[in-house]
Amino acid sequence: MQVPLLDLKIQYKVIKTEIQKALDEVLESQMFILGPKVADLESSIAEYSRTKYAVGVSSGTDALLAALIALDIKPGDEVITTPFTFFSTAGTISRLCARPVFVDIDPVTFNLDPAVLDSAVTRKTRAVIPVHLFGQCADMDPVLEIARRRKIRVVEDAAQSIGAEYKGRRAGSMGDMGIFSFFPSKNLGGFGDGGMVVTNDGALAEKIKMLRNHGMHPKYYHKFVGGNFRLDALQAAVLNVKLKYLDGWSQGRRTNAAYYNRKFVQSGLVDRGLVRTPKAVHEKSGDKNHHIYNQYTLRVKDRDKLQAFLRENQIGSEIYYPVPLHLQECFMDLGYKEGDFPVSEEAARTVLSLPIYPELTDAQKDYVVEKMVEFYG
Ligand SMILES: Cc1ncc(COP(=O)(O)O)c(C=O)c1O
């Protein structure tokens, strides 16, 4: 049996005809940059995320960059985020010569711990980027309360969490802006790179629209220095088709997660303290949080040996992320050291993400659990 970390070919077989038709429309129109397909996607994503505006851009990274430029983040400004995220969250702060200021994460959700946020705010702090990691929202109420009180802006990094909910509110809709990534491995993935900024602020939406096109409006008149952050029509055509399936796919991931959780408990690995399954906080209490499981991330004993054993048995897995950002070589000049963010560092040593894509069969999931039981003996 083989269980790849992700198999997009199964999904493609189901939607192939629709996708090819949508791509053909773009090819026939020969309009490849922005245009009606991008505008359609923008209105659908705004509706889906329950925001007033959505602006399509070239990647999740460029969405973050455009959002920070739109907030006028300047050299010397501080922007707070967590060190346990994909690189771009902090990389984009650095690219504007602003300073990423890290705060540690909650050990259960892997998301920014609001209890340590307030004390990280200084006179130079301009914004906070809570990351909704792996498909689950950060604890936004305290983040929003602190941001309001300390007069800092909030950009939600929802790259991994389109459709996730926090107390009934959609990821991306709670801060000043939210960003999504359409990298192929995301729950809503394109056939290449793509991203989106969502917001309820009309002025910010207009500014992002200009920034994605070199700050230009009208043609050849440049009000700001932006970049080429445009989303192309072929990606939008693919994403318009896929968006209709997104909730079904995310539900499939949730079902798989529940299945794994049950099997890991039955296997005894949880009780023996060898495996800790991911927890969707508040779901049971009726708070209506909604985890979309872009990743199904365990905490495990002997992580690296386990991963090698799974690989030998044709089971894909991945470590998101092995090095927290405060210990990355490129951020050494920020002056952080090992021990500064113990929860993030512990997560980096113990996390392992398993295959969770919606088309996984029960037999495949059983095989994964069986092999883990075999490993731990
Ligand atoms: C948390 C997070 N932020 C930002 C990004 C950047 O998105 P992209 O790869 O589309 O540039 C990603 C992508 O993996 C991500 O996971």
Side-chain angles (χ1 to χ4, degrees):
M1 167 118 33
Q2 291 195 352
V3 193
L5 183 64
L6 178 64
D7 184 350
L8 287 167
K9 289 187 196 134
I10 313 173
Q11 177 193 87
Y12 181 55
K13 273 195 195 126
V14 177
I15 56 176
K16 185 172 176 173
T17 316
E18 273 181 280
I19 293 270
Q20 289 186 336
K21 182 167 169 286
L23 290 175
D24 262 350
E25 284 166 17
V26 177
L27 298 183
E28 289 301 326
S29 78
Q30 290 290 299
M31 283 183 52
F32 296 113
I33 306 292
L34 299 175
K37 293 280 186 203
V38 171
D40 280 354
L41 182 70
E42 288 171 340
S43 56
S44 304
I45 295 282
E47 189 186 337
Y48 185 79
S49 5
R50 303 186 200 130
T51 56
K52 287 192 189 145
Y53 311 97
V55 186
V57 293
S58 35
S59 67
T61 303
D62 288 341
L64 279 167
L65 190 59
L68 294 177
I69 300 174
L71 293 178
D72 225 8
I73 301 299
K74 293 230 159 49
D77 288 345
E78 293 178 358
V79 179
I80 300 173
T81 191
T82 91
F84 194 65
T85 173
F86 180 61
F87 180 75
S88 17
T89 319
T92 47
I93 301 168
S94 255
R95 278 174 66 188
L96 295 175
C97 301
R99 180 185 169 86
V101 171
F102 296 117
V103 292
D104 216 344
I105 55 168
D106 173 276
V108 174
T109 63
F110 305 104
N111 287 327
L112 187 148
D113 180 357
V116 289
L117 175 57
D118 208 5
S119 60
V121 177
T122 71
R123 273 186 308 110
K124 293 182 181 168
T125 309
R126 298 284 321 285
V128 55
I129 310 182
V131 183
H132 305 320
L133 204 68
F134 301 148
Q136 169 157 244
C137 288
D139 190 5
M140 288 300 289
D141 277 346
V143 171
L144 294 169
E145 186 277 317
I146 292 163
R148 209 173 298 124
R149 183 161 44 78
R150 305 296 301 262
K151 297 190 170 49
I152 59 175
R153 311 299 290 267
V154 179
V155 178
E156 295 172 66
D157 182 341
Q160 303 184 5
S161 293
I162 190 164
E165 287 186 13
Y166 173 79
K167 301 185 182 178
R169 285 173 280 164
R170 280 267 150 112
S173 70
M174 295 172 272
D176 293 283
M177 283 175 277
I179 73 94
F180 301 123
S181 161
F182 303 129
F183 185 78
S185 66
K186 300 296 192 274
N187 288 31
L188 180 63
F191 287 3
D193 282 308
M196 188 79 65
V197 181
V198 290
T199 181
N200 288 309
D201 182 324
L204 284 175
E206 276 314 302
K207 193 166 176 187
I208 301 274
K209 273 192 179 169
M210 288 166 72
L211 287 170
R212 76 176 165 187
N213 205 10
H214 296 292
M216 181 164 81
H217 187 75
K219 209 169 183 186
Y220 304 127
Y221 287 79
H222 299 264
K223 201 173 164 80
F224 314 104
V225 177
N228 174 358
F229 307 143
R230 297 177 301 245
L231 180 62
D232 74 68
L234 286 167
Q235 295 309 329
V238 169
L239 293 162
N240 281 327
V241 171
K242 284 193 165 195
L243 183 57
K244 291 181 287 187
Y245 296 88
L246 176 59
D247 283 344
W249 290 332
S250 292
Q251 187 50 47
R253 288 167 178 269
R254 288 161 58 81
T255 305
N256 286 341
Y259 188 96
Y260 271 135
N261 286 349
R262 220 168 36 243
K263 291 281 167 175
F264 280 123
V265 169
Q266 285 166 6
S267 72
L269 295 180
V270 174
D271 277 351
R272 289 165 63 201
L274 300 165
V275 165
R276 199 158 9 124
T277 55
K279 193 157 179 230
V281 296
H282 302 311
E283 274 195 344
K284 279 210 180 103
S285 70
D287 248 354
K288 289 214 306 194
N289 283 19
H290 189 82
H291 195 322
I292 61 148
Y293 290 100
N294 180 240
Q295 299 299 339
Y296 179 83
T297 305
L298 301 173
R299 305 266 208 152
V300 295
K301 278 251 157 52
D302 291 329
R303 192 261 317 270
D304 295 346
K305 282 189 191 144
L306 171 66
Q307 187 181 34
F309 180 80
L310 293 177
R311 194 180 303 121
E312 278 162 27
N313 286 283
Q314 320 290 328
I315 297 169
S317 66
E318 190 53 90
I319 298 165
Y320 305 111
Y321 299 91
V323 183
L325 298 185
H326 67 290
L327 301 178
Q328 293 288 350
E329 192 178 339
C330 66
F331 288 143
M332 281 301 103
D333 61 335
L334 294 176
Y336 290 113
K337 59 183 187 318
E338 199 157 350
D340 282 347
F341 304 106
V343 186
S344 298
E345 290 166 23
E346 170 71 6
R349 281 191 293 270
T350 57
V351 287
L352 190 68
S353 297
L354 294 181
I356 190 69
Y357 59 90
E359 298 83 2
L360 272 185
T361 63
D362 287 354
Q364 284 177 306
K365 287 175 298 229
D366 290 343
Y367 178 71
V368 173
V369 178
E370 255 166 50
K371 285 292 154 192
M372 285 181 56
V373 170
E374 189 180 319
F375 173 78
Y376 287 113

